[in-house]
Amino acid sequence: MQELLKAEKLNKYFHGPDTVQVLYDISLSICESEFVAIMGKSGCGKSTLLYLLSTLDTEYEGTIDINGTRVTGLNENAMARFRNEYIGFVFQFHYLLPEFTAIENVMLPALKLGNFDHEAVEKNALEKLRRMDMHQHAYKLSGKLSGGQQQRVAIARALINDPTIIMADEPTGNLDSVNTDVVFNIFSQLVQEGNTIITVTHDHDFARKGNRIIEMADGRIKT
Ligand SMILES: Nc1ncnc2c1ncn2[C@@H]1O[C@H](COP(=O)(O)OP(=O)(O)OP(=O)(O)O)[C@@H](O)[C@H]1O
Ligand SMILES: [Mg+2]
């Protein structure tokens, strides 16, 4: 299988009054069409690692290559462009804009990328919402949706630019078992279509359905 993402010797520090190291020498390699789950206790560094891998956090030591591009050290514009095009991110807390409708939230990353006109983007967004069984709520304010519904809108938003890699931080954290299955089935389908998924989860059943589990403890990958 073709290697898609390679991280080498990632070290991450947070600087406050004291400097704390939260990631230690993390090296990993992820292939095309892999469905990888990152697991480990609260506070072990899962979200921090995902932020690095997704290029949202650029303050770290080590290198990250995605799809043959050394993303470490790219300037801000090039990085944003790369991220918009290749990476769909589902946050631990969904970060929808509550005063915008569900479909407007989904459309935003595509309008930002600017490859398609408004009408095409809206059609695509509705399609993505349909996939999440959320099309009937498309024109409601996202702040008026339930937690699980908001999470599904956030997943639709992550898919809008047809990213190569989907990175998700506890995407099923707020969902009941029925909706967890909905998300899992969509992720499986995306993997079958050639996408790669890296997801943080506390859900062992969800993780076991993927191809591989990366287990973390105290900022390190357990071997
Ligand atoms: N901005 C920050 N400044 C200082 N320390 C931070 C910051 N963000 C996270 N940390 C610390 O880094 C460590 C790893 O945090 P992280 O959010 O990556 O954990 P996690 O594995 O995702 O936990 P959870 O399962 O609870 O989401 C924790 O000890 C946390 O307190
Ligand atoms: Mg976390």
Side-chain angles (χ1 to χ4, degrees):
M1 266 199 299
Q2 188 78 22
E3 184 177 67
L4 185 64
L5 183 151
K6 189 180 179 67
E8 281 194 297
K9 289 197 173 290
L10 301 180
N11 285 286
K12 169 71 186 175
Y13 304 84
F14 283 112
H15 303 284
D18 304 311
T19 295
V20 280
Q21 184 166 6
V22 296
L23 296 179
Y24 298 82
D25 278 335
I26 300 261
S27 296
L28 55 84
S29 162
I30 291 169
C31 293
E32 259 173 30
S33 298
E34 257 200 302
F35 186 160
V36 177
I38 300 175
M39 299 194 82
K41 286 201 184 109
S42 178
C44 73
K46 304 179 298 296
S47 294
T48 305
L49 175 60
L50 209 60
Y51 267 69
L52 263 53
L53 298 180
S54 66
T55 76
L56 287 166
D57 183 355
T58 56
E59 297 291 308
Y60 59 86
E61 292 172 356
T63 58
I64 300 172
D65 295 85
I66 299 175
N67 212 13
T69 299
R70 169 67 47 99
V71 293
T72 308
L74 280 184
N75 72 45
E76 211 172 301
N77 275 341
M79 188 87 82
R81 173 100 206 159
F82 184 90
R83 187 188 311 134
N84 253 322
E85 195 151 353
Y86 287 100
I87 301 169
F89 201 93
V90 183
F91 295 90
Q92 184 165 12
F93 308 101
H94 51 73
Y95 295 125
L96 297 176
L97 302 172
E99 70 280 20
F100 285 79
T101 62
I103 195 161
E104 283 168 341
N105 272 283
V106 176
M107 289 169 69
L108 270 177
L111 296 175
K112 212 184 270 176
L113 190 63
N115 285 349
F116 299 98
D117 67 25
H118 195 279
E119 195 183 338
V121 169
E122 186 164 1
K123 191 161 168 252
N124 185 13
L126 199 56
E127 207 40 57
K128 296 295 190 280
L129 284 167
R130 191 183 308 280
R131 232 179 149 159
M132 299 308 301
D133 197 23
M134 281 299 294
H135 52 291
Q136 68 276 33
H137 302 294
Y139 295 94
K140 289 187 187 160
L141 292 181
S142 72
K144 302 245 155 120
L145 299 172
S146 77
Q149 290 173 333
Q150 293 187 32
Q151 192 63 343
R152 283 186 281 157
V153 173
I155 295 170
R157 178 183 57 185
L159 300 180
I160 190 70
N161 289 333
D162 297 316
T164 311
I165 312 185
I166 294 129
M167 299 196 193
D169 196 350
E170 302 191 41
T172 61
N174 299 312
L175 302 182
D176 58 19
S177 61
V178 172
N179 282 310
T180 296
D181 283 345
V182 169
V183 171
F184 176 75
N185 289 334
I186 283 160
F187 279 12
S188 300
Q189 208 181 331
L190 288 165
V191 166
Q192 269 166 28
E193 289 167 14
N195 292 93
T196 302
I197 293 182
I198 307 172
T199 183
V200 169
T201 182
H202 284 114
D203 182 338
H204 284 273
D205 293 331
F206 190 77
R208 263 195 295 271
K209 291 177 186 166
N211 303 115
R212 178 153 62 109
I213 296 175
I214 293 176
E215 185 84 38
M216 288 182 71
D218 302 324
R220 295 181 169 82
I221 290 180
K222 276 210 222 166
T223 46

